[in-house]
Amino acid sequence: TNLRSHSLHHPPPPSPKTHPMKISSKQISEAIPYAKRFLSFVNQSRSAYHAVDQVSKRLKTQGFQQISESESWNNKVKPNGKYFFTKNQSTIVAFAIGGQFKPGHGGLKIIGAHTDSPDLRLKPISKREKNGFLQCGVQTYGGLLAYTWFDRDLTVCGRVIVKTSTGFESRLVEVKRPILRIPSLAIHLNREVSEKGFKINNENHLNTILSTSIEESLNESSDESDNKIFKGQHHSLLLEVLAKELNVDMDDIFDFELSVVDTQDATLGGIREEFIFSPRLDNLMSCFTAMEGFEESMGSLPQDQDIRCLVFFDHEEIGSRSSHGADSVTLSQTVNRLARAMADENTPDDVTDMTISKSFIISADMAHALHPNYADKHETTSQVAFHAGPTIKVHCNQRYATNAVTGFLFKTLAERNKIPYQYFVVRQDTGCGSTIGSICAANTGIRTVDIGIPQLSMHSIREMCGIVDVQYTANLFKHFFEQFRELDDQLKVDG
């Protein structure tokens, strides 16, 4: 389904005389369509695999052609063409080639984000039975706030390897009802929790309850099938549910990668509905706003001398080191293949290097808004607010890739289009997170700026952001694709 039904507008920036969080009812009403489209996207994207599937479907409705890395792109990709490919079902790269693009004369305008979010994942041998309960053992993925998974109505979502009539196939699955729960310990049995905090042993305390033991004993299946070893590693009750969702026999399930996720949908919140309460804002919100701007910019593609590109990686939350993470060859190979795919006998041998010098990456990942209850945790001069625009992230030790040049280009683009922006820098007595920005910059040699939409409760099972920032950022991404080349040509740095 195409999630778009509204064109992008320019919300007026907050008055410098007014606190940026004091927004009008008109600004809220103009931003709500963006927020509702995001809700539709995130509620159908409970795993990275589902997020990529949603993006793929959306691209196809916009006329993008799916291509394969395993095939030659020479004489296949052409000016005004729109293409995408996926890796591992969890990373996706899309690009639209400007009508005026010529190898060596244009670059890539790239927005990068990531599809994964911190969560719990079923262990390869998840079967547990203890004190009359059937449980599923889990691993922690990324730096999640694990305590927020307690007392939630949980389910599983991900992909399953199934046997078909012609071989095997990886299929997406989501059980759309609560089948798991991690109950907290009653305060009567843990009197010190209010004073000493909620302390979790990830191995012992995060195992999810699936059922009582009685029901399992009534549903044991035959062990004569080809997948009997796999079936012995997981409760048959769980496998039966998966088989029903996939419309296959339980004996046809051979492996899976499943996240433990909340069944509660994302929603608008706040007395004026100016907030989004949602799982996976980090970082599906960045994927969504990038898609919005990318799509809306397509009308000017015939006049563009560059290639417009989106790249949404998996595995950012665990360091990006994988075959399809940001610290792989995926982006650098894509740049090289695009630089050479339309080459002719007059194209210089160093066309890839020429293309890189004309390229630019916006690394989009969510940013920390000022928490009103913990204001002392934030740096005093860069206290990021809701409804005040995207945030430029700066770290002189390159945890973020922003520098004077890339920050200047981003903020100038924002100012020319009357879109507000903010700065984030971490306190000097606090550690700093990281993004794909510095990784992509180092692996490709492409100039990069790190930015993000402000949010609260990062890495919780339920996060929060302001809806006006969604509109601001989508607008700015549209202008990036349409206007960056003209701005960049006005800046002289290295001669």
Side-chain angles (χ1 to χ4, degrees), residues 46-60:
R46 282 182 161 83
S47 74
Y49 311 112
H50 286 77
V52 166
D53 183 60
Q54 288 298 306
V55 173
S56 298
K57 290 175 179 176
R58 183 168 175 176
L59 289 168
K60 287 178 180 178

Side-chain angles (χ1 to χ4, degrees), residues 41-166:
F41 169 61
V42 74
N43 288 336
Q44 298 178 77
S45 303
R46 282 182 161 83
S47 74
Y49 311 112
H50 286 77
V52 166
D53 183 60
Q54 288 298 306
V55 173
S56 298
K57 290 175 179 176
R58 183 168 175 176
L59 289 168
K60 287 178 180 178
T61 66
Q62 297 298 315
F64 280 74
Q65 174 187 348
Q66 186 166 5
I67 59 176
S68 173
E69 285 187 291
S70 63
E71 300 172 350
S72 174
W73 294 358
N74 294 344
N75 301 316
K76 175 174 286 190
V77 298
K78 303 179 185 300
N80 289 311
K82 299 185 290 187
Y83 313 91
F84 76 94
F85 67 89
T86 65
K87 295 192 71 165
N88 190 57
Q89 296 179 282
S90 58
T91 288
I92 186 165
V93 180
F95 48 91
I97 302 173
Q100 306 304 312
F101 177 79
K102 296 180 181 179
H105 295 277
L108 278 76
K109 293 175 288 201
I110 303 167
I111 300 178
H114 63 89
T115 59
D116 61 321
S117 300
D119 60 21
L120 300 175
R121 311 242 168 142
L122 292 192
K123 289 183 175 179
I125 303 176
S126 70
K127 193 173 185 177
R128 302 282 189 278
E129 186 169 359
K130 190 173 183 180
N131 298 328
F133 287 99
L134 303 184
Q135 294 182 283
C136 294
V138 298
Q139 306 175 79
T140 57
Y141 178 87
L144 76 165
L145 288 173
Y147 67 85
T148 64
W149 264 254
F150 281 72
D151 299 325
R152 305 294 301 187
D153 299 337
L154 304 173
T155 189
V156 292
C157 182
R159 65 176 177 178
V160 180
I161 307 298
V162 299
K163 186 177 182 179
T164 68
S165 59
T166 58

